[in-house]
Amino acid sequence: MESEPLQFEPRDQLLQRQKKLEQIAALGFDPYPHKFEWKQTPAEIIERYGQRTADELKASHVQATFAGRIITIRLHGRAGFAHIQGQGQRLQIYVKLDIVGEKTYQLFQLLDMGDLIGVSGHLFRTKTNELTLWVEQLTLLTKSLLPLPEKWHGLADVELRYRRRYLDLIANEHARQVFLRRAQIIHHIRNFFDARGYLEVETPMMHPILGGATARPFVTHHNAFDVDFYMRIAPELYLKRLVVGGFDRVYEINRNFRNEGVDAIHTPEFTMLEFYEAYSDYRDLMKLTEELFAGIVKSVCGDTKIKYGAREIDFGHFEKLSMRKAIEKFWPAEEERLSDSGGAPLESELNRPDGPGLLAKRYNAYARMKGLDPIAELEKSSAGELTGALFEAVAEEHLIQPTFIYDFPTEISPLSKCRKDDPSVTERFELFIDGMELANGFSELNDPADQERRFRAQVESGGAEMPKEVDWDYIRALAHGMPPTAGEGIGIDRLVMLLTDSHSIREVILFPTLRPQKDADTDAAATAAGETTP
RNA sequence: AGGGGCGUAGCUCAGUGGUAGAGCAGCGGCCUUUUAAGCCGAAGGUCGUGGGUUCGAUCCCCACCGCCCCUACCA
């Protein structure tokens, strides 16, 4: 049985446009020409001639030739208007039967919204003073067989905006702006690190051993080797091998994959900037991070203060708090009253080996009373893990303005160097903005014996998010000697969220991971083609 | 994973226990400076899917599917 090649909905409009396509071909026009010699973009024309008056345009007789997509069309019998969109800018054209001739005017009447055309003519202003191209020549560049989203509301269905991003980008200028800004941000980051003598590198996305972070991985299989690989959860261990190899300053901007939950700030594949700087420590990185963020925000948003939702965030000043101090500072005042404890726990109490355990119990009593989630697995957790849990329970959400949290417990920082004066904490920090973790950096552990102990402890602890075996080659690399080094990771997607006032990570990823959709259109096509459906 | 919300024409959305409506888009007609063009006419629907209650379900109930939001998990 013969089957139609295209089966998409809306069927009637597809057929209608295919019919017009045939009529256009019958008139002798090529509906899919190979190229078009444009002279300007709509943006350039508006930039250059947007201020000229009707009289000035008449006197100078400016010729222009540009291409784009028809996004509105208004036919008036023997003349008509249309708006052409190219590179996000739209420009009106005026097509008149007397000027373009019978045949081209027939072509114009067969055009639809969404068609791509090239036009040539001179600029003028209409009665309503809109800059418009007086079309002398019109060429169809590509016939669009499916209609554009509705012209007033655009494409509002969030799922469709993500699944058919190409339509979102045509219909919603805001979506376009988000991704333009994302590109600017990444461009700025590259300039920043290139200017400081960093080398941009690419390290493997497929890892034989899990490492560099704690997260459940995606597993894939290589047929020829007949081995499983993990999609990387972090590039960290490879980048540090490069520092061992003599690339003293490296950075990588690339994807990480984590097989975890999905929400407004988590998605399975996300973009991470990681960079390493030999002979520096975590203090240097905090300074560098402040400079980097302030520079990006200023160049992209024009000011160090930005609006994020109802809040204003000031990148001109970064707060610094130790993790223990942050717990003290944001300890719920209500708990103090209810427990009659005489005040918030002091940093010094958290310092004691049994301190975090006692405070976690105290917090859990309060949490149960308030219907909040208590800290889980109290008995099984180490003091360091409980400190981290207390921080998350009590402080994290309050860190709205850019804040470095430092002095992370050693138990939750397996790749960081301990502080000389207090081995219970490491030279590690995270940057929080609007309650979100934006960056994580530390002085890198480069003692191979210590690293081996910590890797063995991870393997022994089991768990889906832990490595199954020690990465001996990484230990070997450290044994060859890694200079004192500081390294950091920055979540690019979350940074873009902040600087585009986006409140879901999917808004800043062109094609976010979604559940694959059973496609009604192509199913229909398969059926029409005689395929059997199980 | 738990809680909440949503799913009606291609798009944006109304609506009702008696099987449906608007605007836009599309189609036919008129129109040579319009711009949310306008006017006239015709068409377009398995009301997410599957059960149940009912004389009768798009509406009420249950399950499932999908998306969104919140919570949890994700140092």
Side-chain angles (χ1 to χ4, degrees):
Chain A
M1 190 175 91
E2 278 294 304
S3 63
E4 293 294 323
L6 294 174
Q7 296 286 335
F8 301 107
E9 289 295 327
R11 191 87 188 110
D12 59 331
Q13 297 196 35
L14 173 67
L15 290 171
Q16 186 59 42
R17 286 178 179 224
Q18 282 175 324
K19 198 170 121 197
K20 287 181 179 175
L21 186 70
E22 284 163 23
Q23 290 173 315
I24 288 166
L27 283 171
F29 295 104
D30 178 359
Y32 294 109
H34 290 213
K35 70 172 290 182
F36 181 72
E37 295 279 358
W38 55 272
K39 302 276 199 309
Q40 298 95 348
T41 65
E44 283 166 2
I45 292 167
I46 292 164
E47 167 84 31
R48 195 146 168 218
Y49 305 108
Q51 300 305 316
R52 298 234 186 144
T53 65
D55 287 342
E56 285 165 355
L57 285 172
K58 204 175 283 175
S60 52
H61 200 80
V62 177
Q63 287 292 128
T65 303
F66 65 93
R69 191 183 289 275
I70 298 176
I71 49 158
T72 65
I73 191 162
R74 294 173 293 282
L75 291 172
H76 293 265
R78 291 174 193 82
F81 291 90
H83 275 104
I84 308 301
Q85 180 168 289
Q87 298 283 296
Q89 289 281 336
R90 54 187 58 180
L91 196 55
Q92 184 170 254
I93 64 168
Y94 181 54
V95 182
K96 223 157 99 101
L97 172 63
D98 327 353
I99 305 299
V100 298
E102 184 77 38
K103 216 169 110 178
T104 297
Y105 199 77
Q106 279 177 27
L107 168 66
F108 180 59
Q109 286 177 306
L110 289 166
L111 295 181
D112 291 297
M113 291 198 295
D115 288 350
L116 294 150
I117 62 170
V119 284
S120 182
H122 65 270
L123 296 171
F124 76 110
R125 284 192 182 275
T126 61
K127 274 182 186 165
T128 53
N129 209 34
E130 179 167 348
L131 182 67
T132 301
L133 186 82
W134 181 279
V135 174
E136 286 146 18
Q137 281 180 325
L138 183 150
T139 315
L140 175 64
L141 299 180
T142 298
K143 184 72 187 156
S144 164
L145 296 176
L146 290 168
L148 288 177
E150 206 258 0
K151 69 179 172 186
W152 298 352
H153 308 89
L155 187 62
D157 183 311
V158 176
E159 180 183 357
L160 275 184
R161 287 188 43 237
Y162 297 159
R163 289 195 190 276
R164 304 188 189 163
R165 186 68 91 179
Y166 41 92
L167 293 182
D168 188 33
L169 292 169
I170 293 169
N172 298 323
E173 175 61 16
H174 178 73
R176 221 185 114 75
Q177 289 302 329
V178 165
F179 293 105
L180 288 179
R181 183 163 281 189
R182 183 180 173 116
Q184 287 170 6
I185 290 166
I186 291 172
H187 183 70
H188 185 102
I189 291 170
R190 288 210 160 92
N191 285 344
F192 181 90
F193 285 102
D194 293 347
R196 282 163 180 75
Y198 276 79
L199 183 71
E200 181 171 10
V201 296
E202 291 168 276
T203 63
M205 310 294 275
M206 293 159 70
H207 291 182
I209 299 171
L210 209 54
T214 312
R216 288 159 67 190
F218 289 94
V219 184
T220 188
H221 187 76
H222 187 283
N223 287 338
F225 293 172
D226 191 23
V227 287
D228 284 343
F229 280 94
Y230 300 106
M231 303 298 288
R232 77 175 191 193
I233 57 171
E236 171 146 355
L237 301 184
Y238 286 93
L239 289 169
K240 284 192 279 195
R241 282 174 170 94
L242 295 177
V243 177
V244 171
F247 286 144
D248 284 349
R249 294 183 166 207
V250 290
Y251 74 98
E252 176 166 8
I253 299 172
N254 225 323
R255 230 64 67 76
N256 288 344
F257 305 88
R258 297 188 183 175
N259 206 339
E260 308 273 7
V262 171
D263 64 25
I265 57 169
H266 294 90
T267 189
E269 59 174 297
F270 61 99
T271 301
M272 183 93 137
L273 159 69
E274 276 205 20
F275 54 96
Y276 290 83
E277 183 172 303
Y279 311 114
S280 298
D281 72 3
Y282 76 133
R283 289 171 202 284
D284 299 306
L285 288 192
M286 283 194 259
K287 230 175 290 165
L288 188 83
T289 304
E290 243 182 285
E291 234 176 280
L292 172 66
F293 274 57
I296 293 172
V297 175
K298 212 165 190 175
S299 91
V300 170
C301 305
D303 190 6
T304 56
K305 290 183 183 149
I306 59 153
K307 278 199 60 151
Y308 189 63
R311 290 173 175 141
E312 186 181 82
I313 293 171
D314 184 0
F315 287 83
H317 174 70
F318 284 53
E319 203 69 51
K320 279 189 188 134
L321 276 177
S322 77
M323 183 175 277
R324 287 165 180 165
K325 195 79 190 165
I327 295 169
E328 178 186 321
K329 181 172 176 184
F330 294 106
W331 190 266
E334 203 178 348
E335 194 278 342
E336 296 171 35
R337 284 197 301 278
L338 291 170
S339 70
D340 197 26
S341 62
L346 296 174
E347 202 178 348
S348 54
E349 289 177 61
L350 283 154
N351 258 326
R352 291 202 300 266
D354 62 338
L358 294 171
L359 287 170
K361 274 187 203 138
R362 190 172 143 189
Y363 175 80
N364 277 2
Y366 162 73
R368 267 186 282 274
M369 216 155 42
K370 293 284 291 175
L372 301 170
D373 289 297
I375 293 166
E377 299 187 323
L378 251 179
E379 309 305 326
K380 278 191 263 175
S381 304
S382 65
E385 287 168 324
L386 290 174
T387 304
L390 281 167
F391 167 76
E392 281 174 31
V394 163
E396 199 172 35
E397 60 177 313
H398 300 292
L399 304 174
I400 304 305
Q401 296 304 319
T403 306
F404 289 115
I405 298 295
Y406 62 94
D407 279 355
F408 273 62
T410 303
E411 287 99 332
I412 58 171
S413 310
L415 298 160
S416 314
K417 241 181 199 162
C418 296
R419 269 182 59 161
K420 271 210 191 83
D421 55 344
D422 181 359
S424 74
V425 292
T426 56
E427 293 195 353
R428 175 183 173 193
F429 66 87
E430 285 188 355
L431 173 63
F432 290 87
I433 303 173
D434 199 64
M436 273 195 294
E437 178 192 336
L438 261 286
N440 175 19
F442 39 89
S443 303
E444 303 294 338
L445 179 61
N446 62 346
D447 173 347
D450 192 356
Q451 187 68 78
E452 181 183 333
R453 272 193 298 277
R454 297 208 212 172
F455 274 176
R456 282 182 187 278
Q458 280 190 312
V459 171
E460 278 160 23
S461 76
E465 68 287 350
M466 288 297 177
K468 303 284 170 288
E469 53 184 306
V470 171
D471 189 339
W472 290 111
D473 181 67
Y474 179 68
I475 306 282
R476 182 187 0 252
L478 290 187
H480 280 284
M482 181 171 80
T485 298
E488 181 173 342
I490 294 176
I492 297 299
D493 309 288
R494 290 179 183 178
L495 177 59
V496 176
M497 283 172 69
L498 284 171
L499 302 195
T500 55
D501 201 9
S502 301
H503 296 264
S504 163
I505 199 165
R506 295 174 188 211
E507 290 291 340
V508 302
I509 293 172
L510 279 167
F511 299 99
T513 310
L514 299 177
R515 193 179 295 276
Q517 191 183 38
K518 201 168 144 48
D519 192 317
D521 288 351
T522 49
D523 282 355
T527 308
E531 289 173 22
T532 51
T533 36

